[in-house]
Amino acid sequence: MTARILVFAGSIRTGAFSGRTADVAVKELVLQGAEVTRISLGDYSLPIMDEDLEAEKGVPENAVKLGRQIAAHDGFLIASPEYNSSIPPLLKNAIDWVSRVRKDGGRPFKPYAGKVAALCSSSDGNFAGIRGLYHLRSVLMNCQVEIITPQCSVAHASEAFDENGDFREERLRHAMENVARTLIERARMVSTRIDA
């Protein structure tokens, strides 16, 4: 079975290091035989999570659409920046809204059910965005997502990529290879994907 993996970054800023890290992940996952879909959270614009808004208007359609993307894949990889030692608000808001999805077309629907995820981070500082991954891991585990142990964290990100968008350091290349391999293997084992 070919593993289907969804990849996105936790930032939509032009030239974001997390977006560049996500692009490296896509290349590596494809190289290892996965079928990869790369999306931008910018294509799933959502209001700030608000239970009053949800009670009045229901879960936003873009949250359902993002949930369908997650459900249609065996696993997903998030490349995230770190904001004040934690999760960027864009990413947290998207995760929270998708967790509120209970139905699609009248049928019961839980996008995160049976999903496995890999986490990567990037920062121009020494800590490589790794502090934010502790919080991201906790949030996703609460949503019943299984998180693989290997991760790839890119420090000094403004100098980490070559002219082709690949990692300069062998250490980072090996880390991403390990992340991709582990995610593909585990995603194949636990797949519950819903094909549209």
Side-chain angles (χ1 to χ4, degrees):
M1 177 189 106
T2 300
R4 294 178 66 186
I5 306 295
L6 183 68
V7 176
F8 57 94
S11 172
I12 57 173
R13 177 179 62 82
T14 301
F17 301 132
S18 57
R20 296 172 76 180
T21 302
D23 291 339
V24 172
V26 168
K27 289 181 186 178
E28 186 57 41
L29 286 160
V30 169
L31 191 64
Q32 293 195 30
E35 179 185 331
V36 181
T37 305
R38 170 78 157 92
I39 63 169
S40 169
L41 291 180
D43 294 329
Y44 300 87
S45 180
L46 290 163
I48 296 295
M49 175 64 206
D50 178 345
E51 289 190 27
D52 289 338
L53 178 64
E54 181 184 5
E56 180 185 341
K57 297 185 178 180
V59 174
E61 182 60 23
N62 274 346
V64 177
K65 287 179 180 176
L66 181 56
R68 286 183 194 135
Q69 281 279 22
I70 292 168
H73 291 79
D74 301 305
F76 57 95
L77 181 147
I78 300 174
S80 182
E82 174 189 302
Y83 283 28
N84 295 317
S85 300
S86 191
I87 309 168
L90 172 75
L91 178 56
K92 179 66 163 63
N93 194 55
I95 291 169
D96 288 347
W97 269 123
V98 171
S99 77
R100 306 296 292 184
V101 176
R102 299 286 187 269
K103 290 186 179 180
D104 185 13
R107 297 185 314 267
F109 182 48
K110 292 185 177 179
Y112 293 128
K115 298 304 170 190
V116 58
L119 305 181
C120 298
S121 64
S122 55
S123 166
D124 214 20
N126 292 329
F127 293 115
I130 200 166
R131 294 172 298 187
L133 293 189
Y134 293 118
H135 297 176
L136 182 54
R137 184 176 295 269
S138 176
V139 169
L140 288 170
M141 287 173 62
N142 192 67
C143 294
Q144 306 304 306
V145 175
E146 178 183 332
I147 316 297
I148 64 167
T149 301
Q151 59 191 40
C152 180
S153 295
V154 183
H156 308 291
S158 62
E159 303 165 5
F161 303 89
D162 66 20
E163 60 278 1
N164 298 315
D166 299 313
F167 290 142
R168 294 183 189 277
E169 288 185 29
E170 188 70 17
R171 176 188 60 81
L172 287 174
R173 290 195 291 273
H174 282 311
M176 189 61 83
E177 286 170 13
N178 190 27
V179 167
R181 181 175 55 255
T182 306
L183 178 59
I184 289 169
E185 288 173 358
R186 190 63 187 150
R188 282 180 180 148
M189 287 173 138
V190 302
S191 177
T192 61
R193 79 175 179 226
I194 299 171
D195 291 314

